[in-house]
Amino acid sequence: MLNIQDILETIRMIREENLDIRTVTMGISLFDCISDDPDRLEKKVYDKIMTSARNLVRVCEDLENTYGIPIVNKRVSVTPISYIGSGLSPEGFVRLARVLDRAACDLGVNFIGGYSAHVQKGAIRGASTLIESIPYAMAETERVCSSINVATTKAGINMDAVRRMGEIIKEAAYLTRDRDSIGCAKIVVFANIPEDNPFMAGAVHGIGEPDTVINVGVSGPGVVAAAIKEAGDCDFSVLAETIKRIAFKITRVGQLIASEAANRLGVPYGIVDLSLAPTPAAGDSVAEILENMGLEVTGTHGTTAALALLNDAVKKGGVMASNHVGGLSGAFIPVSEDRGMISAVDRGILTLEKLEAMTAVCSVGLDMFAVPGDTDASTISGIIADEISIGVVNNKTTAVRVIPVYGKNVGDYCEFGGLLGYAPIMKLKGESCARFINRGGRIPAPIHSLKN
């Protein structure tokens, strides 16, 4: 039976606290599109995406009108393209990226993910070739996102891939230098990549997924921040319980939209990702949540503990609300997409080192942060290696989305617009790690990877 108080509370959360469905993402398998003929491959890929997702935007808009719940993004993820175009040249992969971009534009979705490869133990020819094509694909498309998995807890870290991705990111920064190096905002490097993540830039349709599936990402940092503020100076047990209860309610909204979207589209419902994903909008900040807990500024001492409590309570509340929780599920800490994070960086309180420590207890990793455009590729690789090692050793997903902004330095800002926001250029250490990065090979898996 519907409870009128729950209905009214949900309405208030939507109107006053930025509660929304952050994304409804349709995953689509492209394995049945594989062809030795590049022209035929491109046609089959375009037709499969258009046929599978033709009603996605309309259904999402109908659900918004029916339930009054904003659905901010409609997205598509596909099978890692390195498998689909394994015989292509770098130019052939770029052509395929343009096909993906055209399909995304024609469908009206804001991003399409899956320009991706898994190279944690080594790279098949298609993966190596796709990686070489990434800077050009990101420069020549608007809606295509790329993710490369360079490590797993079972396999260790492919440091050859880490080194190359530092160079690839630098190339992408140069090729999109006229747009504050925005190409890098669509590239993410992973450890332990999930196969059902609905969030960009890391969304892929994993090889263990059904032919098509609906995955939903629900977010409500403003709702959680308001609940914590209302709870006042309670102890940590009460604080955790407050977050759990509100996370339960947020996730129930996501479960409703996920099941309804799947039913109306006639495809399986996959998972709800209950990550707290901020936006540049006022009142939609993970940093504000942490500061409502009692921190003067995010990044000061105690920040990692506050984030650990938040992440754990969100997961505990969410798993009680949905039978199928997946993706990343926790709290995101992207700098450019969170006003509170931007302010903390501006004040010099939130540094890259503190962000890295925070990633040990949150959902993903170092996300959407800008660094000087003249940063060496080896330094970019060193940042990636540090973050990826946290994921491998702790058997969790971690990732890096770093943007070396061509022509800009510490004290400058870069502007991406929309949900990608804007960011101050963060200071890095000047000492080189090139000799370490250039050793090559693989960092072995940690001993607990032998569990079986």
Side-chain angles (χ1 to χ4, degrees), residues 212-225:
T212 53
V213 69
I214 287 293
N215 297 318
V216 166
V218 61
S219 186
V223 177
V224 176

Side-chain angles (χ1 to χ4, degrees), residues 57-206:
V57 172
R58 178 185 61 77
V59 165
C60 289
E61 290 172 348
D62 288 347
L63 289 171
E64 287 184 286
N65 292 330
T66 300
Y67 294 103
I69 300 168
I71 300 174
V72 179
N73 298 296
K74 298 84 176 173
R75 296 168 171 170
V76 168
S77 64
V78 297
T79 310
I81 291 296
S82 60
Y83 298 126
I84 307 307
S86 58
L88 295 176
S89 65
E91 294 77 16
F93 272 113
V94 174
R95 279 181 52 184
L96 194 51
R98 293 195 205 105
V99 171
L100 296 176
D101 202 47
R102 177 161 60 91
C105 182
D106 292 347
L107 287 169
V109 299
N110 68 314
F111 282 121
I112 184 166
Y115 198 78
S116 307
H118 296 171
V119 296
Q120 56 266 21
K121 282 185 93 171
I124 61 172
R125 188 178 70 169
S128 296
T129 310
L130 178 137
I131 288 172
E132 296 305 310
S133 75
I134 287 173
Y136 303 94
M138 296 303 101
E140 295 182 26
T141 62
E142 295 295 327
R143 308 185 190 206
V144 176
C145 291
S146 179
S147 56
I148 305 297
N149 194 70
V150 298
T152 66
T153 297
K154 287 265 185 182
I157 306 173
N158 182 347
M159 288 299 292
D160 291 323
V162 169
R163 177 189 57 78
R164 187 65 186 121
M165 286 310 299
E167 296 165 351
I168 291 294
I169 289 167
K170 285 282 292 182
E171 291 175 33
Y174 179 77
L175 291 176
T176 55
R177 61 193 181 279
D178 59 330
R179 291 168 283 162
D180 276 354
S181 299
I182 195 172
C184 301
K186 301 183 291 173
I187 304 169
V188 58
V189 183
F190 269 101
N192 296 318
I193 190 170
E195 294 191 339
D196 56 5
N197 167 28
F199 286 100
M200 299 296 171
V204 296
H205 186 69

